[in-house]
Structures are given as C-alpha cells and as structure tokens.
Amino acid sequence: MSSLSAAYAAHLDTLQQRSAEALARAGRDHLLIASGVEKYHFLDDRPYPFQANPHFKHWLPLLHHPHSWLAITPGARPRLVYFQPDDYWHLPPEAPSGYWAEHFDIRIIRDPAEARALLPDPARAVILGEADAALDGVVPDNPDAVLQYLHFHRGYKTPYEVMLMRQASDRAVLGHRAAEAAFRTGASELEIHRAYLEATGHNDLDLPYGNIVGLNEHGAVLHYQYQSPQRPETARSFLIDAGANHAGYAADITRSYARDAGRFADLVQAVDGVQRALCDQVRDGVDYAAIHLDAHHRLAGVLQHSGIVRMAPEAMVEQGVSSVFFPHGVGHLIGLQVHDVAGFQATPEGGSIDKPAGHPFLRLTRTLAPGMAVTIEPGIYFIPMLLDRLRSGAHAAKVDWGLVDELLPFGGLRIEDDVVCTGGVPENLTRDAFARLN
Ligand code: GLY
Ligand code: MN
Ligand code: MN
C-alpha cells in the first residue's frame, strides 16, 4: 500500500468518526452529501464552471462530478452514487478508479433521478448540499449544529490532506518561477499569466482562485482582477498572488519583485524578513490574532526604518496608520477552500471569537493547534485612496510624502506562504516547495 493510500485510509477513519459524532448530535442515522449540480447562465444554455460541494471533496478527490452523492452510515461502508451519464456532447466521468475507490460501495447511475432509490431514508438523514441538488424527497437541510461541528474540525487537517497540499504547493511554485522569469523579460500581465498556467499545467478553471498578476501600480489593488495584454513601457515591480489545486486542495502563494535595486527592492527584502518571523509563530497554542497584531508592529517598524513614516511603531498601530499601508488581515485558514471555513468559530458547537478592534478584515481568530493550515501574508501597499485620507488627517505631517510619491509607481508588495501548525517547528509548505524546485 502506498503512503498516500495508507494516509487516505486513516483520513477516512477520521471523517467517519467526525460524521458519527455529528449525526449523534443531530439524532439522525445517515449523512447524505450531494456533490452539486451544474448551474446555467440566465436565459442561456451554457453552464457556469462546476464547483463541487467541499463536504463531498473532503471524502473523495472528485472535482468534476455533478449529480453524485455520498451516503455515510456509521459502522457501514460508505456508499458512492456515481453519476456517469450516456452523453456524447460532453466527456462523461471515467469509470471510478484510484486509491480511494476500494473504500466505497459504488453504484453507477446514468440519470440524476436514479440516485433517489440508492440513498437511505432521507427522513433519518442529515442532507448536506446546495438547494438545487434536491431530489424527490431528498432536500438538503444543512443543519446548523452539524455544519458547525464539521466546519470546526475541518480546521485540523489530516496527514493525507497535508500531503495533497504539499502537492498543490509544488505545482504552484512551478508557476511562480515561470511568472518571475516572464516579468524579467518585460512580459505583459496576460503573458505572465499564460506562462504561469503553462508551467502549472492548469487552465483558468483549475485554479483555486483567479490569479492576481499586477505590474507596477496594479500591485496596489488587493484583488486586482484583470490581466492587461499591454506590455508596460517599464515593468518596475510585480506582485503575483497565484495558487494551484491538487485533488481539491488549494495553494495560495504571493511573491513580489522589483526590477532594480533601490527603495522598493529594499522594502521587499524587509517584508520578507518580517514574513519569515511571522511564519515561525504558527505554533501550537498561539492566538492567530496575535500574529496579525505582531505583523502590524513589525511592518510599522519597516515603515519607520525606511523613513516613510516618522512615528514609533506602537503609535502607528494604535492610531491606525499601519492599516493605511497594510489594510488586510495577515491570513486565513486554507484547505478545501482557499479561504477555508470556520476562521472565527469558538467551539465545535459554534460561537464566534471577535476580531481585535480596528481590524475588520482579519479572517481568522482561532488559537492554532497541530494540523491547522494557514496563510501568512503581510504586505505594504501604496494605495492612493487610503493615502489621500492619511494626507488630509491628523498624522499627515509624520509622513515623508516625497518618499511616498516615489514609491507610488511600484504599487505594493505582499509575501504569502501556506504554513501548517505542527507539534513543533511549523511546516512551511510554500518555502519547502520552492526549496524542492532548486
Ligand atoms: N489569494 C487571496 C488571498 O490571498 O487571500
Ligand atoms: Mn491568502
Ligand atoms: Mn493569496
């Protein structure tokens, strides 16, 4: 048995235990999970890209399988109702095979409605899925207590899940290397994006989120959504936030580059040092919100040291000045979804852990424990809209506006790694993947 197969068997045991506990809490006997359905554009016959229910792909590495179902009954072999239509317009899913298949009682259906007869009594079941997945008498109810329990525990990855995330990271860094090389030859954003796809072997729909490929000022647009086909006259700086997908698990990686040595290159280097120190804090028992606040203090130190803001770091953080240059959270849970669920959840029963006051964009406030996979993504940006407010506010005189104006054409920078909390030294999936590439 390969190590992946063995890890998968252990992963299924964990999911079985979690399901049994969730069902006991709900007083039901079966867990039904719909993979999902294809949805169509308004007044059109073209479907949107299919996205599998994350609860479904938690059990199986099947991403392109609408109208399939899982039926889990504690103590029994899980049943997979596998939709494989007779369709000559599209390529149907292949016959089920792979390291996962032997663990399921697999029933093939040719028509979505055939699933109904192969599922256990829906009155005794919890049914997870989108409303559109409903069959006659099988209507997703998504009970809150069950979702809370499963989502809370999804924060703790099994060793199998971490194996898949390592592979997603390996794939993404191939793209990052190619993207940097394309930037250095003066390529357009679109050309860089294509180089990324080529190197990863992904198409746009395979990506776990739309690539952010920003040259120059576009690096200051946090979720810049276009890829310009125009080569800029001068490509001074480059920010790329791009991931990859492996068996339904995401990588989420950002790198930033300067063409030439100088102030912006120095900032990239300084933030890289900050980012490494923050990654080292991804340890058992650490409050993630504390890492976010420490990021503010350290980035404020960079702003002070570089002469951009003449304030002590503590004052910069307290007065909200650091948030002008770092206006997002330091990271989030990652896994089946790039922004994975339950970032604020207090207990398996629910409840919410507040964000620190003044930090509305933080997405994770839980205490870290082994198995949690998070991103660490500090940055410094020169965002005209936020700088205009600072320019007209109480702290304007503390800012070296000449330096800011010099840096505005470089946009901004962010450095983002995916890091797994362990019982000891954190596992940096991203830096390890770059190291494997060398
Ligand atoms: N790629 C989106 C993010 O970093 O959260
Ligand atoms: Mn991220
Ligand atoms: Mn990202």
Side-chain angles (χ1 to χ4, degrees):
M1 196 190 266
S2 76
S3 61
L4 185 69
S5 300
Y8 180 66
H11 172 73
L12 283 186
D13 283 346
T14 300
L15 296 194
Q16 288 279 17
Q17 284 164 24
R18 290 180 191 167
S19 303
E21 177 59 29
L23 287 170
R25 288 167 179 234
R28 311 259 183 98
D29 301 329
H30 315 284
L31 179 63
L32 306 187
I33 305 176
S35 65
V37 296
E38 280 194 311
K39 297 193 180 59
Y40 286 79
H41 291 260
F42 183 52
L43 299 178
D44 204 334
D45 63 357
R46 289 173 309 124
Y48 288 101
F50 175 72
Q51 289 287 333
N53 176 355
H55 289 278
F56 184 83
K57 60 177 186 156
H58 204 185
W59 287 79
L60 291 157
L62 300 182
L63 311 182
H64 306 291
H65 293 70
H67 303 296
S68 292
W69 289 80
L70 269 173
I72 293 123
T73 304
R77 195 178 184 74
R79 174 168 291 185
L80 171 63
V81 178
Y82 189 93
F83 178 57
Q84 196 186 25
D86 292 319
D87 180 356
Y88 58 84
W89 293 95
H90 305 98
L91 186 68
E94 288 175 3
S97 70
Y99 60 86
W100 54 272
E102 65 181 278
H103 297 277
F104 293 85
D105 162 24
I106 301 175
R107 306 300 173 99
I108 307 287
I109 57 171
R110 305 289 179 203
D111 184 288
E114 291 169 26
R116 176 68 186 83
L118 295 167
L119 298 173
D121 179 8
R124 298 297 314 147
V126 161
I127 307 174
L128 302 184
E130 57 197 318
D132 294 343
L135 298 171
D136 182 27
V138 184
V139 180
D141 56 350
N142 301 308
D144 196 51
V146 170
L147 288 183
Q148 299 273 8
Y149 183 82
L150 295 179
H151 286 176
F152 184 82
H153 288 289
R154 219 167 92 188
Y156 308 108
K157 269 61 186 174
T158 62
Y160 164 76
E161 293 181 284
V162 175
M163 287 170 104
L164 299 183
M165 292 180 73
R166 279 186 205 116
Q167 298 204 46
S169 304
D170 280 340
R171 189 177 260 241
V173 300
L174 291 171
H176 277 269
R177 274 287 148 78
E180 182 192 358
F183 158 65
R184 300 224 181 262
T185 66
S188 70
E189 292 168 350
L190 185 57
E191 288 169 325
I192 296 171
H193 175 64
R194 288 185 180 140
Y196 186 93
L197 293 178
E198 169 78 22
T200 55
H202 272 344
N203 69 23
D204 278 280
L205 301 182
D206 296 325
L207 295 169
Y209 55 92
N211 279 355
I212 299 169
V213 182
L215 291 171
N216 300 337
E217 289 87 346
H218 290 158
V221 182
L222 296 183
H223 282 172
Y224 174 60
Q225 70 274 47
Y226 303 115
Q227 287 117 24
S228 168
Q230 301 293 333
R231 294 182 178 187
E233 214 160 278
T234 312
R236 290 174 288 277
S237 58
F238 173 44
L239 183 156
I240 175 163
D241 183 342
N245 180 4
H246 184 80
Y249 285 82
D252 178 8
I253 299 173
T254 310
R255 287 294 181 267
S256 301
Y257 305 98
R259 189 191 63 175
D260 301 322
R263 284 189 202 286
F264 188 76
D266 293 346
L267 279 182
V268 173
Q269 203 180 350
V271 172
D272 189 66
V274 166
Q275 198 266 0
R276 286 171 190 265
L278 297 172
C279 288
D280 193 54
Q281 295 174 26
V282 176
R283 289 181 187 245
D284 190 13
V286 171
D287 171 6
Y288 188 83
I291 301 180
H292 173 79
L293 294 175
D294 191 50
H296 270 271
H297 284 93
R298 288 175 185 266
L299 293 169
V302 172
L303 291 166
Q304 183 195 39
H305 186 75
S306 59
I308 297 168
V309 183
R310 291 178 293 265
M311 285 171 85
E314 294 69 33
M316 239 188 273
V317 178
E318 210 165 281
Q319 304 294 320
V321 174
S322 58
S323 294
V324 172
F325 298 91
F326 175 46
H328 61 76
V330 78
H332 48 85
L333 291 169
I334 180 168
L336 289 163
Q337 293 165 244
V338 63
H339 296 153
D340 221 351
V341 289
F344 306 115
Q345 201 173 321
T347 70
E349 288 71 44
S352 187
I353 305 167
D354 287 343
K355 301 169 207 178
H359 296 269
F361 301 117
L362 184 59
R363 292 174 190 267
L364 175 56
T365 52
R366 285 169 66 173
T367 297
L368 298 174
M372 281 182 153
V374 303
T375 67
I376 294 290
E377 47 183 302
I380 289 180
Y381 310 86
F382 301 93
I383 302 174
M385 182 198 309
L386 301 182
L387 290 167
D388 286 349
R389 290 184 204 156
L390 185 63
R391 230 183 262 261
S392 57
H395 304 293
K398 306 277 174 47
V399 177
D400 183 331
W401 292 106
L403 256 186
V404 168
D405 289 340
E406 195 182 309
L407 286 161
L408 271 164
F410 294 84
L413 66 109
R414 171 165 71 255
I415 297 169
E416 174 177 28
D417 291 346
D418 305 339
V419 185
V420 180
C421 181
T422 72
V425 176
E427 177 178 352
N428 189 316
L429 298 173
T430 308
R431 302 226 180 220
D432 289 354
F434 274 112
R436 277 194 289 275
L437 199 56
N438 285 330

